[in-house]
Every structure is written in C-alpha cells, then in structure tokens.
Amino acid sequence: MTIDTEPALSASFTEALEKFRAAIGAEHVATDLPTRQEFADPYSPLEWTDYVPPAVLQPASTEEVQAIVRIANEHGVELWVNSQGRNNGYGGSAPRNPGAIVVNLRRMNRILEVNEEFSYVVVEPGVSFNELYDYLQKHGHRLWADCPDIGWGSVIGNALEHGFGYTVNGDRANSVCGMQVVLPDGELLRTGMGAMTDNPSWHLSKRGFGPMVDSLFMQSNYGIVTQAGIWCMPQPETYLTGWVTIEDDEHLPALLDAVRPLMIDRTIPNYPSVFTASGALAVVGKRRDFYDGEGPIPFEVSKAIVAQIPNLGMWNMRFALYGRENTVDAQFENIKEALSVVPGITVTGTKMRGDALDVSALDQSGKVQAGIPDMEMLNTSDWVGGAKGGHIGFSTVLPLTGRDGRRIIDLVRPASEEAGFDYIGGFLLRERSMMHVTLMVYDTADEPAAARARDLCGDLVTTTAKLGYGEYRCHPSNMDTVAGTFDYNDHAMLRFYERLKDAVDPNGILAAGKQGIWPQRLRQTR
Amino acid sequence: MTIDTEPALSASFTEALEKFRAAIGAEHVATDLPTRQEFADPYSPLEWTDYVPPAVLQPASTEEVQAIVRIANEHGVELWVNSQGRNNGYGGSAPRNPGAIVVNLRRMNRILEVNEEFSYVVVEPGVSFNELYDYLQKHGHRLWADCPDIGWGSVIGNALEHGFGYTVNGDRANSVCGMQVVLPDGELLRTGMGAMTDNPSWHLSKRGFGPMVDSLFMQSNYGIVTQAGIWCMPQPETYLTGWVTIEDDEHLPALLDAVRPLMIDRTIPNYPSVFTASGALAVVGKRRDFYDGEGPIPFEVSKAIVAQIPNLGMWNMRFALYGRENTVDAQFENIKEALSVVPGITVTGTKMRGDALDVSALDQSGKVQAGIPDMEMLNTSDWVGGAKGGHIGFSTVLPLTGRDGRRIIDLVRPASEEAGFDYIGGFLLRERSMMHVTLMVYDTADEPAAARARDLCGDLVTTTAKLGYGEYRCHPSNMDTVAGTFDYNDHAMLRFYERLKDAVDPNGILAAGKQGIWPQRLRQTR
C-alpha cells in the first residue's frame, strides 16, 4: 500500500474545506499528512492507510460544531466525530469510512460546573480524565470522579462509548445526567429536565417528560454531545482498596461464582476487575523482563514467574469500599467471609482516610478505584517491545459465572497463542454480567503481527457469537462483523437503528458505518 | 354532556373491528358501554365522556399484538395501549385522543422466568405486582421484587411510565433489562443483548452493540413492550424498615437537607418517601374520622390531630436497609447520627430476618419497602367520602433540597386549599432529586369538585413551570400543557420526539398525543 499523501478532493469537498476554515479558523482545519496520520488508527502500521482521514477539524464551541454540520449537509461531506479520540485499542480517532473528515473536540475543554452539594460536574467533551482530576484537586473539591486505567481519554467520550470504570460510578453511561446535543442538521437539543429552560434538575434527575433519549447519542451516529452532566462520588470518610489473588488458574470459576452475589447485592459497591498475571506484569514491565523465548509464554513458565512475585496470583482481583469506617469494616469482613470458599485465595485491603489519601502508597488499582488517573497502563502496549507498541482490544459480554468465564478463556487463550500472542486478558465485573477484555499486543512496525492481530479479532467475533456471546465495542474494522452477529429476527435491531438514522440524519453526514449503522445512501443490501 | 352510547363508526372502523375479532377472538373485542367505561378515566364523573374509548381489545400474545397493529395500519384506526391500565390518578386506561381503541394487555399475564442465580424475572405486561409477589411466595423464591403502594398495577407498565418504588430497585425504569417490543408496523424487536439470538446476557447486561433504545419505549408511543426482564433483590439476611418523624412543619427543609448526602452516597440504599400527616392518615382512615368541618382541615387542627397519634409527625419519612446484620447496624447508626441535626426528630427501626419476615408486624411502609404489595393505600381516594372516591395526581421533579421542598409546598398547599382540597402531599426521594407528589381527592359524583381538581392540576403545571420545575407524568388532560413547558430552544425536544414518531409510526396509529407527542397528521402548528 502507498500512503495517500494528497487525497483527490472533489470540488464540493474543497469548497466545504474553505467554509470550514471560515467557520472555525483556518488554523483549526488541518489537511497535512502528519496531522491526518495523528488522527488515524495509531496502532496500524504506517503502511496501512485505510483509516487515514482526508482532513481534521477542531472546533472550539457548540456554535462551531453547529456550523460544521450545516456545512457538511450543504456539501454532502462526511464527518467522523470524536472527543479526545484516544481509545487506541479500538482505532483511536480513525473514521470507519474512508473519506470522512475527523471532527475532534479536544479544544472544547471547559469544565463548566463543579457541584459539591449534589456531587456532579458538567464538562465539555474535550475534558480528559487527567484534566478533570487535576482541576478537582487544585480547587480542593471533595469529589471523586470516575476514571479509566489510562487518564488521557475524554470523560464524555468514554461514557458515550459505554466505557466502564472502577468506582461506584463506573457504569459511566449510567452516570451521565443531562446532555446538550447538536443534531446532524445543526439543531440544538437539551435532554431530560434540560428540555425545560433553566430547570434546576437538569443534572440531578435523568428523565424529563416523555421518552429519555440520552442513550440514543451513545455508541451511535445520531448526534454530537457538546456538554453533559457526570455524576461523581462525594469524597468518602474511609477508602479501602482490596486485592485478591488465587494461586491456580483452575479456581477462577469459583472466584467468579463467589463474587456474583456480592455484586448483585452491592456488598462490593464498585466495578472490580479480575485479571491474569500477565495483565498485571504488562503494566510494570516488558515481556523480555520475564521471558526471552520465542512465541507465547508457556503456561508452566507463567506459573513459575508468578510464584516468585509477592502478592501476585495466576488470577488477581481488585475491588474497593467507600463510606464511614464502620460500614467499610463490616463490608470487608463480609467479603472476606464470602470469598473464603475459593481454594488458595488471599484477600487483603489497604484502608485510608478519604480526605488524606497517601497516593504514593497506592498501586495502580488503588489509584483508579479512587478516581486517580495515571498513564502507567499505557505500558501494556509495549509488552512485546519493538519500534512502537500497539494493540487491539477484543471485548465480549458474558453472564457473571465461572462457567462462562472458563468458556471464554478456553476459546480465546488458545486462539491468541496460536496466532502468536500472549494471552493478556481479564474480566470487568458488573452487577450481573462481565466483560471479558483481551489485548493482542504487537509492534506496529511488524506488519504481519498487526495483520494477525486484526484477523484474530475478526475471527473471534464469529466464534464467540457461535457461543451466543456479543461484543460491547470494537475496532472500526470489525464494526460490520459485530453488528452482523446481532441477528435476532433478521437483524431487527440494526434495521431499527437504520430507520432512526434516516430520520435524524437524512443526508447521512455523521459517522457513517459507526457500530455498523450506515445511512441510506451507503447501505448495502443484506 | 350525554353519554356516547353508540359511537358513529366509519365503515373502515367497522371493518377493522371485524378483523380484530378474527385475529384475537370476538370475545376479546368489546364495544359495549360498561366495558368501554371501565377502560375510560375511572375518576372522571360519569357524565364526562371525553376519555371513553369506542372499543377495547385484549390480546393474549405477542403475535396477537402484532396482528392488531397491522390491522390498525391497514385501516387507519388509532390504538391506545396499556398494560393493566390501573394508574387511576393519571387517567387509568383512558386514551388521550377521543376515538382511539384501547388495547389492554391484562391477558398477557405470564411470568416467563424467575432467575434466583441472577436475581431477575421476565414477565409479560399483564403481570401485576400482586401476582408477581404471590408467585414468588408460592414457589419459595428468595427474591424480592419492587412494588408500588398499590399492588394491582402492571410491573412492566409502571416501569414504562417511569414509576418509582421503594426498594433498592425503586428506580423501575432503570431496573428493566432487556425488552421485547412490537413496533407500530408489527415488526418484532429485542433490545440490548437480546438483539443477538439466544444471547444469555439479555436480562443481565443492559446495552448491546450500538445505542440502547429501551428508554425510547418508555413514556412514549413508539412501540408496545410485550415482555421484559426486571431486576429484583436477593432476599437479604437482615431487613430494617426505618421510620422518621418531625414535630414541626418548619423543620422539613432541615430533614431534606440532612437526607441528601445519605442518598447520594447510598447510605440509604432504597428510595424513601417523606409525607404529611394527612397522607399517613388517609391510608388508615377517612377525613370525617378526624375533622367534620367544611373546607380544608386548618393547619392548627392538623397539628392537634398529629399530637394525639403516636409515631406520627407533621412530616414522616420511611426508609429501609438490607444486607448482612453487621452492615445494616452500621448504616442505621450512621443514619441516626446524620439525622440528629434536625430539631424534634425521632428515628426508629424495625429489624427482621429476611427469610422470616413477620408480615403482620409490618405497617404499610414496612411492607412496600420489602416488596410486599397491598391495596391499603387505595383508601386514600375515599378520604373525602361520598359515592365513589377519586383523585388526580400532580407530580413535580425538584432538586433534593430543603429550599426547593419549601418552595413547592408554599405554592401547592395554598393553591390546593383555595380550590377546596386538603393538601395531601409528599416527596419521593431519589439520589439527587425528589418528586413532589400531591393528590387532589374528590367524590366523583361531585362534578364541580372533579372539575376544580382537573383545573387546579392544569394551573399548577403552569405555575410550577414558572419556577423552573417540570412534571414527570400527568393525566391525559394535561399532557399537551406539560409538554409545552419543556420549551428549551423552541421545544427542540418535542420536535425531536415528533421526528422519531414519524419514523417509527408513519401512519400514526399508536397512542397519538401521549406525552404531547402527536403523529404528523394530527400535529398542530405551534
């Protein structure tokens, strides 16, 4: 493949670019190759140009976003919108459809309100988790905002993509309360109680009068969210970060089954993660620090490595408790008792006062479960070493049971190893379900490895669907494949999505193909 | 007014009725006046025919619902669908638009699944709270399903109307997980993970791939939900039902402000209610038992009545705790400490083992907070006595603060009393907001009183909107008025609702005017 350094632009496209420059300032309309590559899939080998956009726009306000969509409608150009565009394991900023202009909202980075009385913030989509955390710290706010493992992403963007975090507000889509949205025709909408001018409950009560439409603007191409309320936690009196290890892989199912009742009744109030030793090791080191053989690290070698490292099991789980010290102590006691049925388990906890966290004494889990973002986990992409690390994420939704956990591992681990990848996997636990997340890590300079990773993800979509499991999110290259697995009643859901798409975006200018939803003019007959 | 005993039916309408009879059985297509009146507004005086439907259909299956909507599209007849149709304070089964045929789903009353491993049930819309409770009891299931104060309503229907209950799953719309929906054109949709055939996470994980559309089928006219998963609580080891009284009306704001932090951090994990002495009295007695004067009970008389009744304050709050005994005890201790700042407050609790509830020792609050429905609160409608009690509900969403609580009472209480009604009000508390609910109770044989109640509700919509507050739900007679108060950006939300309506129901056969959403052919220019 050759790099498309100067895309052939139609007259209408060129004219649209001129109007974009007039609307948001020429300096915020980029067509140079380095910028275009920056907003392509960052984990694609440089030779691959399938997700390099022809231009990048960076508006600074809701009004500029409205101007952009109006121009796009006039000229029939396609837009692909993201907030930070940093979810690199799922393609970063890369547009699904070649030719779509990237609209990146990093410049819309205002923190519009911090409300301690009601524990929420209102932010624009360019605000990152890091920025929000720093702001709350700097101003001494007693609020903990949920954050992911890697703090550079957008607070709003991640919630819109159904991202999960690790505090009590870890179900981020469910922690959004009250949005402002630019529709594909430029119309401005406020959702929930915000649909009434100056209603004081906009960010307090999720529903207005009539159907709640907020979720329509998540994982979709129906509108551009330009601000939203995000519920946070009040700083608790006491914080406990818990750590669980099990010695043997074979007891993972017992752990998952023992945790389920604690999740359903919220004895564990946050969203815990369960991960392999390799997942923990990849945060703090590189593969070669532990093993220098060819091919995936053999299972027995993993066991030997784990045996030498204190506080590390073949599987590890983190969880957290928050509140008055008496309730935290009681919950911790109940959790230890409930988990004691799992063979070879250890359960430990580090307890601190919420108003006097010793951050230096917290490990990565202790930090993110207190809403303290960092960038440490970005190391994972460099696990295999090489010129520039990359990975693709593969994420499957499962019932929270040991049986389902075992099934997915027995499918994904051998498939990964067969394709030459160490199995770096884990489970993000929710009330009744879990997400199995696995990363295929490669050096982006190693084109065959990158190709194997992408192919593996595609294959796994199909094989997991045969077991009845679906993905919650994916790389653009897999969106149609995943959408295709949601097949009930001849893909009734996708056909419903398409009907909504045609109603809200008749010209099909916004994020064509996102989540497999194409506008009428680009739709293939199934 | 005269009763429309024999509505003039068009030829197409008559033909449609014939087809309905063929599709669902002639005995389930009623056009007789008693049945039509049964499915009209039950709290309208008999002389009022504005909400009497021309016919009532009662299908027994999803397939029959599909057949009905297809016939309606063919013949251009309008349908108004409800599940039980028993929310009498909001018009019961009554269609918003005269001429719409009522489709009532009481015959679809199967409990399709009870899952103790994951604490959920799957039900059809005809299943009432009473029936679900009885079923769980009869089969010894250790599951507590959320219920409202009056148990005859539909589990699904109430959730779809954004109803609130009193257990940890009291945010009922948020406790729905996975729906089956008949679209207005007869197409069958399964939402979330159910969009993939046989996905085991359909009722475990709320989102699928792409935007979540479940909330579109709540408080809307976009589809007919024919089954849904409903999350329940596992039976807790320990249950505590809490009761709070305050002596003086003036300290209500202090109570609301003291409760707020306990709601935000979920020290109180359920959805408490705060209500007036009159609200409590109306459950157990009639007005004449306490006062026989004309006009609203004077404030000083209320105070004297309250002073004579043990465990009753001018304001009262119920709440509940669930879990292991050690956590329940710790939470209760923290709640008592936090509320002790309110002057003249008492906080008591009754603790029981979850597997050995002594139901006879529980008052109405103790029951509903454990998911035990009854019909006692129906007494409220007979507060004023007379031939047949009735009421209209008026429900406003507010920030959970003492200031906002005081403001709404100072508006609604004098307005109610001026119109001749005792103020029977209360607050349903949520994490950050509350609903102020008030009932205008009258004798339905007293036409002027009924008219005053309806007018008062309409007036209050406008006056509360001037303070920036919106209603969450209302009687059909007020739907357009309430929708009109959601006015941001020239009613952008309503215009968006209309756009969706035209896309999913182009012929406008389903529930025209519900929540102010009209199909194109009936839309008035604003």
Side-chain angles (χ1 to χ4, degrees):
Chain A
M1 283 184 260
T2 57
I3 299 177
D4 175 27
T5 46
E6 285 175 26
L9 301 180
S10 68
S12 177
F13 195 98
T14 310
E15 212 177 316
L17 280 181
E18 274 316 303
K19 290 195 181 167
F20 289 138
R21 289 187 185 104
I24 69 171
E27 66 276 34
H28 305 301
V29 177
T31 53
D32 62 291
L33 185 62
T35 305
R36 290 167 49 219
Q37 284 180 324
E38 186 190 335
F39 289 89
D41 179 1
Y43 291 161
S44 278
L46 266 184
E47 295 80 9
W48 297 2
T49 58
D50 46 353
Y51 295 112
V52 179
V56 177
L57 314 183
Q58 293 192 299
S61 68
T62 296
E63 293 70 24
E64 290 187 3
V65 171
Q66 290 177 286
I68 287 171
V69 296
R70 287 182 181 131
I71 295 164
N73 274 288
E74 271 171 47
H75 293 273
V77 300
E78 250 185 70
L79 307 174
W80 179 266
V81 182
N82 53 59
S83 300
Q84 281 284 342
R86 301 231 192 244
N87 211 309
N88 294 346
Y90 297 117
S93 212
R96 168 68 189 90
N97 207 28
I101 294 175
V102 162
V103 179
N104 175 278
L105 306 179
R106 283 180 203 167
R107 290 179 65 228
M108 295 181 65
N109 62 353
R110 290 183 302 165
I111 294 168
L112 299 166
E113 185 183 356
V114 175
N115 191 311
E116 285 193 46
E117 186 178 27
F118 291 103
S119 289
Y120 72 81
V121 298
V122 183
V123 293
E124 290 187 327
V127 175
S128 73
F129 294 97
N130 286 335
E131 286 162 351
L132 178 59
Y133 175 76
D134 290 345
Y135 184 93
L136 295 176
Q137 287 298 303
K138 185 177 159 193
H139 294 87
H141 290 296
R142 289 168 306 167
L143 281 187
W144 290 12
D146 192 78
C147 74
D149 289 305
I150 298 172
W152 66 3
S154 158
V155 175
I156 286 184
N158 188 286
L160 297 185
E161 291 302 320
H162 297 174
F164 259 76
Y166 312 110
T167 70
V168 299
N169 295 120
D171 183 352
R172 292 204 187 103
N174 205 31
S175 297
V176 170
C177 185
M179 292 175 166
Q180 178 171 286
V181 184
V182 173
L183 296 178
D185 62 0
E187 184 77 82
L188 194 64
L189 196 70
R190 288 185 171 175
T191 67
M193 283 290 161
M196 174 183 280
T197 308
D198 292 332
N199 187 302
S201 302
W202 186 17
H203 302 303
L204 305 178
S205 176
K206 287 183 190 168
R207 301 177 196 97
F209 187 71
M212 183 169 88
V213 300
D214 300 53
S215 64
L216 280 193
F217 302 106
M218 297 178 175
Q219 269 202 11
S220 80
N221 46 20
Y222 300 156
I224 302 170
V225 177
T226 59
Q227 68 180 65
I230 308 282
W231 285 0
C232 301
M233 295 178 57
Q235 171 191 289
E237 179 195 278
T238 300
Y239 169 58
L240 184 147
T241 176
W243 184 254
V244 177
T245 66
I246 57 173
E247 285 167 21
D248 289 317
D249 179 75
E250 65 178 303
H251 296 129
L252 173 70
L255 174 63
L256 295 174
D257 287 329
V259 169
R260 184 178 56 253
L262 305 174
M263 290 302 294
I264 292 176
D265 76 4
R266 307 314 274 130
T267 297
I268 296 180
N270 78 322
Y271 293 90
S273 304
V274 176
F275 41 94
T276 55
S278 56
L281 295 177
V283 177
V284 295
K286 295 211 191 336
R287 178 187 151 90
R288 62 171 176 270
D289 302 333
F290 306 102
Y291 181 69
D292 59 3
E294 286 290 308
I297 303 181
F299 191 72
E300 291 306 316
V301 175
S302 294
K303 280 180 75 169
I305 295 170
V306 167
Q308 288 169 22
I309 300 177
N311 302 322
L312 190 70
M314 283 301 280
W315 285 95
N316 307 274
M317 182 177 91
R318 68 188 185 199
F319 68 93
L321 303 173
Y322 317 85
R324 298 291 299 273
E325 190 166 17
N326 57 349
T327 55
V328 165
D329 287 345
Q331 283 168 288
F332 190 47
E333 194 181 303
N334 296 341
I335 290 166
K336 282 191 288 189
E337 188 186 321
L339 296 184
S340 67
V341 299
V342 182
I345 197 166
T346 65
V347 182
T348 56
T350 303
K351 200 165 71 173
M352 291 182 183
R353 285 184 56 95
D355 62 359
L357 285 190
D358 178 5
V359 178
S360 66
L362 292 171
D363 60 10
Q364 195 267 344
S365 294
K367 281 189 273 189
V368 292
Q369 294 188 127
I372 305 170
D374 70 12
M375 299 295 291
E376 206 180 355
M377 200 169 270
L378 204 55
N379 292 337
T380 306
S381 289
D382 290 321
W383 175 243
V384 297
K388 185 191 166 215
H391 70 262
I392 299 189
F394 178 73
S395 307
T396 311
V397 177
L398 308 158
L400 173 40
T401 74
R403 185 177 44 84
D404 291 286
R406 176 52 67 204
R407 262 181 114 185
I408 194 79
I409 293 166
D410 286 351
L411 174 71
V412 175
R413 182 150 57 190
S416 300
E417 293 182 351
E418 203 172 307
F421 300 102
D422 289 322
Y423 170 68
I424 299 180
F427 298 92
L428 309 183
L429 307 190
R430 308 188 291 197
E431 288 88 343
R432 287 161 175 81
S433 61
M434 58 187 179
M435 220 138 40
H436 176 261
V437 177
T438 180
L439 304 181
M440 288 72 179
V441 180
Y442 53 87
D443 175 8
T444 58
D446 181 353
E447 198 178 332
R452 285 202 313 278
R454 215 187 253 186
D455 289 347
L456 174 60
C457 277
D459 292 347
L460 284 174
V461 172
T462 314
T463 46
T464 52
K466 279 186 191 145
L467 300 181
Y469 302 141
E471 311 316 313
Y472 102 104
R473 192 173 179 188
C474 70
H475 189 273
S477 59
N478 271 331
M479 285 179 176
D480 287 325
T481 316
V482 175
T485 64
F486 285 77
D487 59 349
Y488 178 74
N489 189 21
D490 187 22
H491 305 85
M493 181 55 79
L494 186 55
R495 289 184 286 117
F496 186 66
Y497 286 155
E498 290 168 347
R499 216 194 297 191
L500 297 181
K501 178 67 177 170
D502 295 341
V504 300
D505 182 15
N507 298 325
I509 60 118
L510 189 61
K514 184 162 166 50
Q515 250 64 24
I517 308 169
W518 295 90
Q520 176 118 47
R521 69 183 164 77
L522 297 172
R523 217 129 69 207
Q524 294 159 351
T525 39
R526 261 180 308 276
Chain B
M1 281 183 261
T2 56
I3 300 177
D4 175 26
T5 47
E6 285 176 28
L9 301 181
S10 69
S12 177
F13 195 97
T14 309
E15 211 178 316
L17 281 181
E18 273 316 302
K19 289 196 183 168
F20 289 138
R21 289 187 185 103
I24 70 171
E27 66 276 33
H28 304 301
V29 177
T31 52
D32 61 293
L33 185 61
T35 305
R36 291 166 50 219
Q37 285 179 322
E38 186 190 336
F39 288 88
D41 178 2
Y43 290 162
S44 279
L46 267 185
E47 294 81 6
W48 297 2
T49 58
D50 46 354
Y51 295 112
V52 178
V56 178
L57 313 183
Q58 293 191 300
S61 68
T62 297
E63 293 70 24
E64 290 188 2
V65 171
Q66 291 177 286
I68 287 171
V69 297
R70 287 182 181 129
I71 295 165
N73 274 288
E74 271 170 48
H75 293 272
V77 300
E78 251 185 69
L79 307 174
W80 179 266
V81 182
N82 53 60
S83 301
Q84 282 284 343
R86 302 235 192 239
N87 211 307
N88 293 347
Y90 298 116
S93 212
R96 168 69 189 89
N97 207 28
I101 294 175
V102 162
V103 179
N104 175 278
L105 306 178
R106 283 180 203 167
R107 290 178 65 228
M108 295 181 65
N109 62 352
R110 289 182 302 163
I111 294 168
L112 298 166
E113 185 184 355
V114 174
N115 191 310
E116 284 192 47
E117 187 178 27
F118 291 103
S119 290
Y120 72 81
V121 298
V122 182
V123 293
E124 291 186 327
V127 175
S128 72
F129 293 98
N130 286 334
E131 286 162 350
L132 178 58
Y133 175 76
D134 290 345
Y135 184 93
L136 295 175
Q137 287 299 302
K138 184 178 160 193
H139 294 87
H141 290 297
R142 289 168 305 167
L143 281 186
W144 290 12
D146 191 78
C147 74
D149 289 305
I150 297 173
W152 67 3
S154 158
V155 174
I156 285 183
N158 188 286
L160 297 184
E161 292 302 319
H162 297 173
F164 258 77
Y166 312 110
T167 70
V168 300
N169 296 120
D171 184 352
R172 291 202 189 104
N174 204 32
S175 297
V176 171
C177 185
M179 292 175 168
Q180 178 171 285
V181 184
V182 174
L183 296 178
D185 62 0
E187 184 76 83
L188 194 64
L189 197 70
R190 287 185 172 176
T191 67
M193 284 291 161
M196 175 183 278
T197 308
D198 293 331
N199 187 302
S201 301
W202 186 17
H203 302 302
L204 305 178
S205 176
K206 287 183 189 168
R207 302 178 195 97
F209 187 71
M212 183 169 88
V213 299
D214 299 53
S215 64
L216 279 193
F217 302 107
M218 298 177 175
Q219 269 200 10
S220 81
N221 46 22
Y222 301 155
I224 302 171
V225 177
T226 59
Q227 67 180 67
I230 307 282
W231 285 0
C232 301
M233 296 177 58
Q235 171 190 288
E237 179 196 277
T238 300
Y239 169 58
L240 183 147
T241 175
W243 184 253
V244 177
T245 67
I246 55 172
E247 285 167 22
D248 289 317
D249 178 74
E250 66 178 302
H251 296 128
L252 173 70
L255 174 63
L256 295 174
D257 287 329
V259 170
R260 184 179 55 253
L262 304 174
M263 290 302 294
I264 291 176
D265 77 5
R266 308 313 275 132
T267 297
I268 297 181
N270 78 322
Y271 293 90
S273 304
V274 176
F275 40 94
T276 55
S278 55
L281 295 177
V283 177
V284 296
K286 295 209 190 339
R287 178 186 151 91
R288 63 172 175 269
D289 303 332
F290 306 102
Y291 182 70
D292 58 4
E294 285 290 308
I297 302 180
F299 192 71
E300 290 307 315
V301 174
S302 295
K303 280 180 76 168
I305 295 169
V306 167
Q308 288 168 22
I309 300 177
N311 302 322
L312 191 69
M314 283 300 280
W315 285 96
N316 307 275
M317 181 177 92
R318 67 188 185 200
F319 67 93
L321 303 173
Y322 317 85
R324 299 291 299 273
E325 189 165 19
N326 57 350
T327 55
V328 165
D329 288 345
Q331 284 168 289
F332 190 47
E333 194 182 302
N334 297 340
I335 290 167
K336 281 192 289 190
E337 188 186 321
L339 296 184
S340 67
V341 300
V342 183
I345 197 166
T346 65
V347 181
T348 57
T350 304
K351 199 166 73 174
M352 292 182 182
R353 283 185 58 95
D355 62 358
L357 285 189
D358 178 4
V359 178
S360 66
L362 292 171
D363 61 10
Q364 196 267 345
S365 294
K367 281 188 274 189
V368 293
Q369 294 188 128
I372 305 170
D374 70 12
M375 299 295 291
E376 206 180 357
M377 201 170 268
L378 205 57
N379 293 337
T380 306
S381 289
D382 290 321
W383 174 243
V384 298
K388 185 191 164 213
H391 70 263
I392 300 188
F394 178 73
S395 306
T396 311
V397 177
L398 307 158
L400 174 41
T401 74
R403 185 177 45 83
D404 291 285
R406 176 51 68 204
R407 262 180 115 185
I408 194 78
I409 293 167
D410 286 350
L411 173 70
V412 175
R413 182 150 57 190
S416 299
E417 293 182 351
E418 204 172 306
F421 301 101
D422 289 321
Y423 170 69
I424 299 180
F427 298 92
L428 308 184
L429 307 190
R430 307 188 293 197
E431 288 88 344
R432 287 161 175 82
S433 61
M434 59 187 178
M435 220 140 38
H436 176 262
V437 177
T438 180
L439 305 180
M440 287 72 178
V441 181
Y442 54 86
D443 174 9
T444 57
D446 182 355
E447 198 178 334
R452 284 201 314 275
R454 214 187 255 186
D455 289 347
L456 174 60
C457 277
D459 292 347
L460 284 174
V461 172
T462 313
T463 46
T464 51
K466 280 186 190 145
L467 300 181
Y469 302 141
E471 312 315 314
Y472 101 104
R473 193 174 180 186
C474 70
H475 188 273
S477 60
N478 271 331
M479 285 178 175
D480 287 326
T481 316
V482 175
T485 64
F486 284 78
D487 60 349
Y488 178 74
N489 188 19
D490 187 22
H491 304 87
M493 181 56 78
L494 186 56
R495 288 183 289 117
F496 186 66
Y497 286 155
E498 290 168 349
R499 216 194 297 190
L500 298 181
K501 177 66 177 171
D502 295 341
V504 300
D505 182 15
N507 298 325
I509 59 119
L510 190 60
K514 184 161 166 51
Q515 251 64 24
I517 308 168
W518 294 89
Q520 176 120 45
R521 68 182 164 77
L522 297 172
R523 215 128 71 206
Q524 292 157 351
T525 39
R526 263 181 306 275

